Amino acid sequence: MEQKTSAKAKSGIVFLLMIFIAGIYSCEFRKEDKIKIAVSKSWGSAHYVQYEQWLKSIDPSFEYVNLYGLEYDEAIEELKQCYGIVLSGGPDVAPGVYGDPLDSVRCGIDYMRDTLEFKIIEYALNKTKMPILGICRGEQILNVYLGGTLVVDIPTDFDTTITHRCEDPADCFHEVAVAEGSMLNKISNVTGGTVNTNHHQAVERLADGLKVTSRSIDGLVEAYEWINPCMKPYMMAVQWHPERMEQSNPLSRPIAVSFINAVKKYFKLRENCCSKSCK
């Protein structure tokens, strides 16, 4: 009896979720569409290209859409055809966005990118509920969008003996702890590990609704996720660059696999919802 009740409960949750998502779209969904993933910026240097290469190593059939450089309305139109978004690394988020405009002099800022990413985060979270993966700057700006703040400059604003940025970023690593029971813990199957680092900024105050899932030994936030993921889109945010790490590292490849699987599930759910609601 308990198993039957449990199965019915799970079925009901899935049904309600499908109704919830189906109501979001106009259902302009075509069976022949390839699965597309948007990247907030995926060109400009060899580092930006690595996001696509890293994810393609998991599933080479996906298409990737660069949003940087598009007009804001064009970027949203492109995002409408995508089933996941990667918020990639890059320059600093303008401190003025989180209430500290005077600290802008200590930052390298791309105001156009700040505005673009705020718009696409808003659309992704509030209009489509598509999976989001935030990396480095992506982790930081997602926290800012949700109401959090950042450490403007780690060496001067955060008491630490750990080097978070080196002259040679390819040879800069430190240890992190991973919270037991977190999604990051479950997909990586580790409670700690070594990650790369190339940062002078980091999460300071975490936004409401989020929980820390990894910290460096000095206490700096290295990853976070939803406190309560129920009825929220998949979201993983990490400070390090998993796309630049060895895939054998449990804090690299499993993140890509988890995100790709979430995108596939979202694609299928959207397909099912739209096919039912359009009959």
Side-chain angles (χ1 to χ4, degrees), residues 214-232:
S214 179
R215 291 185 188 270
S216 51
I217 296 172
D218 57 5
L220 205 66
V221 175
E222 290 282 339
Y224 62 78
E225 60 194 51
W226 300 119
I227 293 174
N228 181 8
C230 183
M231 300 301 285
K232 293 186 178 70

Side-chain angles (χ1 to χ4, degrees), residues 111-177:
Y111 290 102
M112 182 180 73
R113 187 167 175 190
D114 286 353
T115 302
L116 170 68
E117 290 184 341
F118 260 62
K119 288 181 180 294
I120 62 180
I121 290 170
E122 179 180 19
Y123 187 84
L125 284 178
N126 300 328
K127 298 294 183 181
T128 66
K129 310 295 183 185
M130 69 173 60
I132 297 177
L133 175 60
I135 295 174
C136 186
R137 168 197 162 89
E139 178 235 23
Q140 296 163 13
I141 197 166
L142 183 56
N143 178 58
V144 170
Y145 172 84
L146 292 169
T149 63
L150 302 180
V151 176
V152 175
D153 184 66
I154 296 171
T156 56
D157 298 346
F158 190 81
D159 186 17
T160 181
T161 57
I162 293 178
T163 301
H164 288 272
R165 192 170 193 173
C166 308
E167 289 187 15
D168 181 6
D171 192 33
C172 205
F173 300 88
H174 63 64
E175 299 298 309
V176 296

Side-chain angles (χ1 to χ4, degrees), residues 32-167:
E32 66 274 14
D33 281 348
K34 290 185 178 181
I35 302 180
K36 296 180 181 180
I37 293 176
V39 184
S40 60
K41 184 174 182 180
S42 62
W43 60 265
S45 73
H47 285 317
Y48 283 114
V49 177
Q50 288 179 299
Y51 297 99
E52 182 176 334
Q53 293 173 338
W54 175 59
L55 293 171
K56 278 190 171 181
S57 71
I58 307 302
D59 189 329
S61 68
F62 284 30
E63 287 186 15
Y64 292 83
V65 179
N66 170 66
L67 300 182
Y68 186 74
L70 299 178
E71 296 293 332
Y72 302 137
D73 290 344
E74 291 177 335
I76 295 301
E77 287 303 310
E78 288 287 351
L79 194 56
K80 288 179 181 179
Q81 306 304 316
C82 296
Y83 302 91
I85 182 167
V86 177
L87 300 170
S88 55
D92 303 324
V93 180
V97 178
Y98 49 93
D100 199 5
L102 295 180
D103 259 333
S104 295
V105 295
R106 297 196 287 164
C107 302
I109 299 169
D110 183 339
Y111 290 102
M112 182 180 73
R113 187 167 175 190
D114 286 353
T115 302
L116 170 68
E117 290 184 341
F118 260 62
K119 288 181 180 294
I120 62 180
I121 290 170
E122 179 180 19
Y123 187 84
L125 284 178
N126 300 328
K127 298 294 183 181
T128 66
K129 310 295 183 185
M130 69 173 60
I132 297 177
L133 175 60
I135 295 174
C136 186
R137 168 197 162 89
E139 178 235 23
Q140 296 163 13
I141 197 166
L142 183 56
N143 178 58
V144 170
Y145 172 84
L146 292 169
T149 63
L150 302 180
V151 176
V152 175
D153 184 66
I154 296 171
T156 56
D157 298 346
F158 190 81
D159 186 17
T160 181
T161 57
I162 293 178
T163 301
H164 288 272
R165 192 170 193 173
C166 308
E167 289 187 15

Side-chain angles (χ1 to χ4, degrees), residues 255-275:
I255 294 174
V257 172
S258 175
F259 174 67
I260 288 294
N261 286 342
V263 171
K264 289 178 179 178
K265 288 178 182 177
Y266 174 78
F267 176 88
K268 200 67 180 176
L269 187 59
R270 180 171 170 181
E271 178 187 38
N272 290 341
C273 287
C274 288
S275 64

